[in-house]
Amino acid sequence: MDATDRVREMTETSTETGSNYILDALEREGISTLFGLVGEGNAHLVDRTNDHALQFTYARHEQAAVTMADAYARMTGTVGVCTLTHGPGLTNGATGIAAADRDNVPLVVLVGDTGFAGRETSLQYLDHQSFTSPISAYQTRIETSETVPEAIRRAFGEARTERGPAVVEIPGDIQSAPAPETLYRPKPTPSQRPRPDQTTVEEAVSVLEDADAPVVLAGGGAMTADAAEPIVELAERIGAPIAVTYFAKGLFPEDHPLYSGIAGTFMSPANDELLWDADAVVTVGAQLSGKVTRYGELYADAAVVQIDIDPSAVGRYRDPTVALLGDASAAIEALVDRVSVDSNRVTRVATAIEEAENAFEFEPASTDEYVDPRVATREIAARVPDDTVVTIDSGNNTGFPAAFHPVGDGGRMLVNGNFGTMGFALPAALGAQVGTPDQTVLCYAGDGSLLQVVQEIETAVRLELPIIVVVLNDESYGIIRHRQRLEYGRETAADYSSSDFATVARGFGARGETIRSIDDLDILEEYCESEPSVPLVLDVRTNPDIARPGFPPY
């Protein structure tokens, strides 16, 4: 009997191991899908998924695995869970963890580690807790089998309450040791929605009663709270335009007379008409970050009523006049019960939005070789279902779907708006499709961002996920090139010869097509009607001279 056999005999005297216990705990927390990538540190945990109903869904890179869990959490309203191996497995996944942390997405990240003996001298040693402390809401290391239940329970509690990633380090000895004898019980979740303090509600009402040009700004927190109905009711009482960050695009019907579109960097014409004169803004699960306020120019002199369930979010970018801590719907309902109706202002705002047409005007600039990305995005939107889930990458490509792809009832727009991660859109589309298998999922990526995660086309093929990947291909790091031209009068290391993404896609087993005219996009309708089982990759060759809406200066 060799040393490996002796260790196995000592640590696996029962078929119920620490790994089995942890996977059972995940199922008791309502988790049905575990994302990740197998490695030496988490191999035991991944092996034991064969004994459980929980589905292990693996990517080809750790950043992608984390992003898949991120998008899955956004779409399903649950905690996203993924597992990574130690050392470089975690460092590869760190960008995805940081992105989820900035966007307040609840994740539990299970990091498999080496055993206790010789840990700090092992090849892939890393102080995981110190490394993840700046990019996650909670970090812990399980030291004994008896503490497994509390560690997992605490991680889920922190992910839910802090709205961010909780990182749990699980040594190999804990994974293979006999399971704890204590039955795992999830932490009870509050049945009542937390309501704001009545004094602050009255202060907020006073702010709104004194306002001549109020605005309601909905963000990702409003989407999470499903607060569309009370927000509309509040806007219809006080006569406020309903502006959104792109985290909340899809929350409201875009044909509602008070819906004014995206605010900030990619600001709609209607908001450009209305928001500069705002003297009060009600933020609902939204942050007044630089992108949302055009770097402090919007709402500079306005009173701010901030509604958020997370105390740490209050005043993150700007101190509010009044802060309402609590559930978004409960807070807004409290305001609706007290504010006065201003029907004249409702009419005035609705007329201003209608006259602005809530649409960007431009002269189409397609050529025989290239498609205008603004036209292409509009035409793509017209060829897919209204409730399509749209994921967007960072870069020059970001602004085109934000401005030109409307999201209908039931649709969503997923974007890493607070960290600007390149390589977000493709794995986010995969996670969204796993979470919502009956909806069309469309990913917009630039050629530069797609090349950072192009291997995940194989993941889509292997999992038979019929996502649509639209590559807005300007043969460069587009927004960097545009900024270089503007600031330095020349370009450096930002452009390159394009890859043939249609051929690359076919090499992975996907369907790939090159798009050089609007007529070429007709393939979308045929694809959507065919009940496909493989992804479609459209290499849309776009005019490289067209910068995204809002540039310059944003």
Side-chain angles (χ1 to χ4, degrees):
M1 179 182 292
D2 63 19
T4 301
D5 291 332
R6 285 196 297 273
V7 170
R8 183 177 294 115
E9 183 179 65
M10 286 187 296
T11 60
E12 297 196 8
T13 55
S14 168
T15 57
E16 291 301 316
T17 65
S19 290
N20 293 102
Y21 188 93
I22 291 166
L23 295 170
D24 179 67
L26 299 185
E27 292 174 340
R28 290 175 180 271
E29 291 283 357
I31 304 304
S32 59
T33 301
L34 172 65
F35 298 93
L37 198 67
V38 67
E40 182 183 18
N42 64 349
H44 190 281
L45 180 72
V46 171
D47 173 77
R48 292 311 167 101
T49 62
N50 292 297
D51 305 331
H52 291 259
L54 177 144
Q55 180 69 40
F56 180 58
T57 300
Y58 59 94
R60 298 299 298 270
H61 189 278
E62 286 88 354
Q63 178 183 334
V66 177
T67 303
M68 289 171 70
D70 174 327
Y72 181 89
R74 299 189 200 212
M75 291 306 302
T76 62
T78 60
V79 175
V81 185
C82 65
T83 180
L84 311 175
T85 192
H86 52 194
L90 177 60
T91 59
N92 279 347
T95 298
I97 296 170
D101 187 57
R102 289 290 185 89
D103 284 351
N104 297 115
V105 179
L107 297 183
V108 170
V109 182
L110 306 175
V111 181
D113 197 10
T114 53
F116 294 117
R119 172 175 175 260
E120 294 189 12
T121 58
S122 67
L123 174 66
Q124 296 183 327
Y125 169 72
L126 181 70
D127 183 344
H128 299 119
Q129 288 178 266
S130 295
F131 178 76
T132 57
S133 177
I135 59 172
S136 60
Y138 176 70
Q139 318 83 36
T140 190
R141 174 177 166 83
I142 300 176
E143 298 289 353
T144 66
S145 293
E146 291 74 22
T147 59
V148 169
E150 180 54 30
I152 300 299
R153 187 161 42 243
R154 175 80 182 273
F156 273 91
E158 294 290 341
R160 290 184 176 115
T161 57
E162 297 299 322
R163 304 296 301 175
V167 180
V168 182
E169 187 178 343
I170 311 171
D173 306 81
I174 299 296
Q175 295 175 50
S176 58
E181 296 180 2
T182 307
L183 179 68
Y184 183 83
R185 298 183 186 280
K187 183 179 180 179
T189 54
S191 57
Q192 292 186 329
R193 298 176 300 169
R195 304 184 69 85
D197 177 76
Q198 289 301 311
T199 300
T200 58
V201 170
E202 295 299 337
E203 291 173 356
V205 169
S206 178
V207 168
L208 294 179
E209 293 289 277
D210 291 341
D212 294 317
V215 171
V216 178
L217 176 67
M223 181 72 81
T224 301
D226 194 21
E229 189 173 331
I231 289 174
V232 168
E233 189 174 359
L234 175 64
E236 289 176 343
R237 288 184 70 86
I238 65 175
I242 304 170
V244 296
T245 69
Y246 41 25
F247 291 109
K249 192 167 182 178
L251 182 59
F252 307 98
E254 297 202 6
D255 58 356
H256 188 283
L258 292 179
Y259 178 78
S260 57
I262 286 182
T265 303
F266 312 120
M267 193 150 68
S268 68
N271 279 332
D272 207 16
E273 180 73 25
L274 291 165
L275 300 194
W276 295 105
D277 296 327
D279 57 0
V281 55
V282 181
T283 66
V284 186
Q287 291 292 330
L288 294 179
S289 64
K291 285 185 175 294
V292 173
T293 64
R294 290 200 166 177
Y295 299 94
E297 294 179 11
L298 276 176
Y299 321 121
D301 299 317
V304 176
V305 176
Q306 183 175 1
I307 297 174
D308 211 295
I309 199 168
D310 179 8
S312 68
V314 174
R316 183 173 294 166
Y317 294 96
R318 176 177 167 183
D319 289 333
T321 309
V322 183
L324 301 184
L325 274 175
D327 174 78
S329 293
I332 298 165
E333 288 164 3
L335 295 178
V336 168
D337 290 340
R338 292 167 173 79
V339 295
S340 303
V341 176
D342 193 327
S343 55
N344 289 332
R345 192 157 61 205
V346 170
T347 301
R348 191 164 64 247
V349 169
T351 300
I353 292 172
E354 184 179 13
E355 290 177 351
E357 296 183 348
N358 199 22
F360 291 86
E361 294 184 358
F362 60 90
E363 284 293 325
S366 296
T367 68
D368 291 341
E369 189 176 2
Y370 297 119
V371 180
D372 185 319
R374 300 163 295 190
V375 177
T377 306
R378 278 184 176 172
E379 293 295 330
I380 289 166
R383 287 166 167 78
V384 296
D386 290 342
D387 66 348
T388 293
V389 177
V390 178
T391 68
I392 306 178
D393 230 307
S394 294
N396 196 51
N397 68 92
T398 308
F400 302 115
F404 300 110
H405 191 125
V407 178
D409 187 31
R412 288 284 298 273
M413 185 166 280
L414 306 185
V415 62
N416 177 226
N418 290 317
F419 201 50
T421 302
M422 291 181 68
F424 172 84
L426 174 54
L430 301 179
Q433 189 74 85
V434 172
T436 54
D438 295 329
Q439 280 185 265
T440 299
V441 177
L442 186 149
C443 150
Y444 283 102
D447 47 313
S449 58
L450 184 65
L451 281 171
Q452 299 199 11
V453 290
V454 70
Q455 73 281 346
E456 302 308 328
I457 296 175
E458 185 279 333
T459 303
V461 172
R462 170 167 39 86
L463 298 177
E464 298 184 345
L465 299 176
I467 64 170
I468 300 167
V469 180
V470 175
V471 189
L472 296 178
N473 185 352
D474 60 5
E475 302 177 5
S476 66
Y477 290 120
I479 198 61
I480 301 300
R481 185 166 54 81
H482 288 298
R483 289 196 186 281
Q484 287 177 336
R485 286 179 176 179
L486 182 68
E487 296 178 18
Y488 313 128
R490 58 187 177 187
E491 303 168 15
T492 305
D495 59 346
Y496 41 78
S497 297
S498 173
S499 303
D500 183 345
F501 289 107
T503 299
V504 170
R506 290 193 288 269
F508 281 118
R511 185 171 175 181
E513 303 288 345
T514 301
I515 306 297
R516 292 189 182 276
S517 73
I518 296 304
D519 290 342
D520 292 341
L521 291 172
D522 290 344
I523 190 176
L524 273 171
E525 293 168 292
E526 176 262 312
Y527 177 81
C528 291
E529 293 170 0
S530 66
E531 299 184 2
S533 60
V534 296
L536 170 65
V537 178
L538 300 181
D539 184 359
V540 184
R541 300 304 177 102
T542 61
N543 188 330
D545 292 327
I546 298 176
R548 68 190 188 189
F551 181 88
Y554 308 106

